[in-house]
Amino acid sequence: MKFLRSQIARWAVALLAFALVAAACGGTSDSGQGEATTTAPTTTQAPAAPSSSTTTTAAPSNEKPYGGTVVVADDQEPPTLNPLVPGGDNLIVAIIGQAYQAGVSEIDGFTLELIPELVTELPTVENGGVTVNADGTMTVRYAIKDEAVWSDGVPISGADFQFTLDTIMNPDYTIVTTTYEDIVSTSVGDKSFEYTLSAPTVLFELLFGTVLPKHAIEGSDFLNDWNDVQWPSAGPFIFAEWQKGEFVRVVRNANYWGVDAETGQTLPYLDEVIFRFIPETDSILTAFKAREVDIIQPPPSTELIEALQALEPEGARVEALAGTIWEHLNFQFGPNRFVKNPDSINDNLNYRKAVAHTIDKSLIVDEILAGQVEPMDSFVEVYRPTISQGSWSVYDYNPEKARELLDLARAETGQDVIKTVFTTTSNNDARVKLSELFQT
């Protein structure tokens, strides 16, 4: 049994640093830069801040300033920058990738709802973007934003969506093809893309989360050429360099089309963002206190939350909230589970139900996260509450029920003594404390 993170909705502590507004406006931070092991094939110098007006009238009073560097600390370093190859599903790859990768949708940071990114609107049955056909198939249509271009100025087109699909379905690549493999036909336009699935499914909402630039990637070695550098950006920043073991740096994308809905100004405001890799939680906290980093998202724990909240009088902002992944227990079913537990009975359903009934989720939240978030009853309830059926709620904390199920598991497996092995990462204080809770 293993404790994992998954990219749906997680318990998280997001921390905005001392005087972050000042840093974003014009301050700088020590990035620890040295000679880069990997640099982007494009310029690494941030372009001048874009003009927000083409007239001679005075700037609006609510206009926000441009410039500055923000340093984000994380305890993980990406194994690759390519989100589609092995290792690309690592969370830090997604965190950094938000700076320069784009797809059909993104997650709103406040509501956690899906919102359009490369397309004008998310397709639904109501707006005509989704049609359930008489033959049982389902057609989905995307209208790509006219202003959407890659960082090299090439328009993002339906051909890029088709190339992305062809890349994912390439049998020579070890890419997960779930749902993509159900696409039976496509139609490509300059600023449109349409595909038909063999049967209706809500999973179409998760397709094309990352779109690839055909003009830049076609003809390259996709599995090897894009691990240490990135293709032209579709996001607000451009990959600049990766100092292995130290940081990844991204700089402003001068061709980014996004605007601030409040002011109408071209985004982004920052000159650059540096993702600094600090393996240990204590070291991350030390760097934060020393104002060497501006934003941290450390593993959640009661002690850490309280220690950081103590810094608020000095100007720190601390937020404990549901994030974009969820912490959960995962049963291992492969043969490797017998290496650590030769007596594993994870394949027994009653045993798994028994374990579920021994977990006091409310206690875990109270002890590790100081009660600042709520346990989930479904992995979709945070970002799609309307379709959540609360399937996990049937597994309440019930030791008596757990004992009954364990008795059934013993009878079914013939094992009088049932051994459970819990493994997790040692550099995550919250997970270590979780293992201690399981022993009480």
Side-chain angles (χ1 to χ4, degrees), residues 169 177-185 196-199 201:
M169 294 305 300
T177 61
T178 303
T179 309
Y180 291 100
E181 62 193 1
D182 298 325
I183 295 176
V184 295
S185 66
T196 297
L197 292 155
S198 58
T201 174

Side-chain angles (χ1 to χ4, degrees), residues 384-406:
R384 275 293 183 268
T386 55
I387 65 174
S388 171
Q389 298 182 19
S391 56
W392 297 341
S393 61
V394 298
Y395 300 109
D396 61 331
Y397 176 60
N398 190 333
E400 184 61 33
K401 181 67 174 178
R403 282 189 284 269
E404 294 175 3
L405 291 165
L406 281 177

